[in-house]
């Protein structure tokens, strides 16, 4: 049975799980980068979430330097590709450790930014 999805959700189905991985997330909150990213972050993040919704992708921000979301990324990839157990929940409040799994986001949540 087909499911009706809201406009903007999975407009392009590539048939494979997509994960958008934003590396070096620690740069967002430091020094000169904060001057650039600070005022623009919400706009960039909104556009990234809209893109992920269109393609049914998940989003994860990682930092190898700080170890942010590295274990979550490893577990999530194993879950998506090998159907392993996965227990981590979404995180949208910590700019350095954002994690939005496939199916969590919606156009209504994105518009609230």
């Amino acid at each position: 049975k087909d499911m009706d999805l809201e406009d903007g959700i999975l407009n392009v189905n590539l048939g494979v799980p997509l994960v958008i991985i934003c590396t070096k997330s620690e740069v967002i909150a430091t020094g000169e980068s904060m001057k650039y990213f600070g005022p623009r972050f919400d706009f960039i993040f909104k556009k990234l979430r809209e893109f992920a919704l269109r393609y049914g992708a998940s989003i994860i921000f990682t930092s190898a330097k700080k170890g942010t979301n590295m274990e979550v990324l490893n577990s999530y990839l194993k879950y998506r590709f090998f159907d392993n157990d996965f227990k981590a929940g979404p995180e949208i409040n910590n700019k350095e450790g954002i994690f939005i799994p496939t199916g969590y986001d919606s156009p209504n949540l994105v518009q609230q930014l």
Side-chain angles (χ1 to χ4, degrees):
K1 182 178 172 183
D2 289 338
M3 285 182 55
D4 291 330
L5 299 174
E6 294 179 52
D7 283 340
I9 297 178
L10 198 60
N11 291 349
V12 181
N13 186 354
L14 299 177
V16 295
L18 297 178
V19 180
I20 299 170
I21 303 169
C22 301
T23 60
K24 297 185 180 261
S25 66
E26 77 276 358
V27 172
I28 293 170
T30 58
E32 287 296 316
S33 297
M34 189 58 182
K35 289 179 188 174
Y36 178 78
F37 282 114
R40 294 170 180 88
F41 182 82
D42 290 337
F43 175 79
I44 294 167
F45 189 45
K46 182 178 179 181
K47 293 300 177 185
L48 185 63
R49 287 174 70 176
E50 289 172 352
F51 179 86
L53 275 172
R54 275 196 306 275
Y55 286 87
S58 55
I59 302 171
I60 186 165
F61 282 36
T62 64
S63 170
K65 184 176 184 178
K66 289 188 174 182
T68 306
N69 276 348
M70 299 307 292
E71 189 59 40
V72 173
L73 174 61
N74 186 24
S75 297
Y76 190 67
L77 291 176
K78 288 179 182 176
Y79 164 72
R80 293 298 293 170
F81 296 115
F82 304 115
D83 204 25
N84 286 12
D85 289 337
F86 182 73
K87 294 182 171 85
E91 174 61 60
I92 59 171
N93 296 320
N94 177 4
K95 288 184 179 180
E96 290 184 38
I98 290 171
F99 172 58
I100 303 174
T102 301
Y104 172 79
D105 224 350
S106 71
N108 291 337
L109 288 175
V110 173
Q111 293 305 316
Q112 291 175 7
L113 286 178

